[in-house]
Amino acid sequence: MTTLLIAEHDNTSIKDATNKTLTAAAALGADVHVLVAGENAKGAADAAAKLAGVKKVLLADNAAYAHDLAEPLAALIVSLAPNYDAFVAPATSRFKNVMPRVAALLDVMQVSEIIKVVSPDTFERPIYAGNAIQTVKSKDAKKVITVRTSTFAAAGEGGSAPVEDAAAAADPGLSSFLGEEVAKSDRPELTSAKIIVSGGRAMQSRENFAKYIEPLADKLGAGVGASRAAVDAGYAPNDWQVGQTGKVVAPELYVAIGISGAIQHLAGMKDSKVIVAINKDEDAPIFQVADYGLVADLYQAVPELTDALGKLGK
């Protein structure tokens, strides 16, 4: 049994989600090969070759894979299918688009967002917003798996795998790239940030996010998140959303400000190592999962916390 890990990357480097997914892939107990598909992606392939436990890296360098179109990448993975028994990818927005197509083309059932590998054919995954854990046993000859990376430790370096070229598959021609608008930020990505500061509907406006949440995040070197209620209200952009229908994170420190703690939000951040909550409602559900809670008016408490961090040289 050989496992193919499809890498999340930016053509020059491997993203943290790939390192964590490698830990899950290795738990299947078979050799792990890594597929790097992109354009001018030699740097990412070389980085993947250095990951501990990787036996081989396949580099598919072609313009068809330059813009994360799901159909060409799915076709590429399926073209490699005869050599592999399992296909593993992080449960990122990119692969939530790609892997179901792979499963459909292979006529198998996808096992989504696993949090534990029990055996090569048995996995655990959360259901009901994380309130129950389902154990799934797959009888399919080929496994298509996505991994909830927040529950796995990142694999380190130390490998020296060979890098081989992989031929591009025929483009099914079902989609084409027209353009993109890429948001750029100096802050760390939510899924890999060690510290996250999130705001909820109590922030009341986009201006308050900029006035209260972002300065605190900058002091801590943190990523900025938001609850779905804040995103739906237009207070924060969609890519900041943390929760069941947003991003699932597990930072070292999660600061929830003005977030009541709806079950959908908790599903996205309850695996954080330390949770700090600031809310004026002492009965808010967020306090049930928080390690440290402050019942206070956020408009007074947050500036005081930001100023205190400034005095400490942050």
Side-chain angles (χ1 to χ4, degrees), residues 255-259 276-280 287 293-294 296-298 301-302 305:
V255 183
I257 298 173
I259 294 176
V276 175
I278 301 174
N279 199 299
K280 67 179 182 180
F287 289 125
L294 175 62
D297 183 345
L298 69 89
V302 173
L305 176 56

Side-chain angles (χ1 to χ4, degrees), residues 119-232:
S119 68
D121 65 354
T122 306
F123 314 93
E124 291 184 0
R125 58 184 300 272
I127 57 173
Y128 302 130
N131 285 292
I133 303 300
Q134 181 182 60
T135 301
V136 180
K137 184 171 184 177
S138 173
K139 294 183 179 180
D140 288 319
K142 294 186 182 295
K143 313 291 190 293
V144 176
I145 302 163
T146 62
V147 176
R148 179 170 287 195
T149 56
S150 61
T151 60
F152 291 92
E157 295 188 347
S160 57
V163 178
E164 298 181 3
D165 290 333
D171 188 341
L174 299 174
S175 61
S176 60
F177 177 75
L178 296 180
E180 63 185 0
E181 294 182 10
V182 182
K184 295 184 178 180
S185 174
D186 293 330
R187 297 190 180 94
E189 290 186 5
L190 280 180
T191 52
S192 59
K194 293 185 178 180
I195 303 174
I196 295 174
V197 178
S198 283
R201 181 162 41 194
M203 297 311 302
Q204 299 182 342
S205 70
R206 178 68 185 93
E207 290 72 25
N208 282 339
F209 258 86
K211 183 178 180 180
Y212 295 96
I213 300 296
E214 294 182 35
L216 177 58
D218 291 339
K219 291 289 185 184
L220 293 171
V224 176
S227 68
R228 177 172 180 173
V231 171
D232 287 349

Side-chain angles (χ1 to χ4, degrees), residues 91 96 110-116 124-126 145-148 244 248:
K96 286 179 180 179
Q110 176 175 305
V111 183
S112 303
E113 300 205 31
I114 66 166
I115 59 173
K116 182 179 180 181
E124 291 184 0
R125 58 184 300 272
I145 302 163
T146 62
V147 176
R148 179 170 287 195
Q244 183 181 12
V248 177

Side-chain angles (χ1 to χ4, degrees), residues 290-311:
D291 299 284
Y292 301 94
L294 175 62
V295 179
D297 183 345
L298 69 89
Y299 296 108
Q300 178 180 348
V302 173
E304 291 177 354
L305 176 56
T306 303
D307 289 343
L309 289 170
K311 292 176 182 177

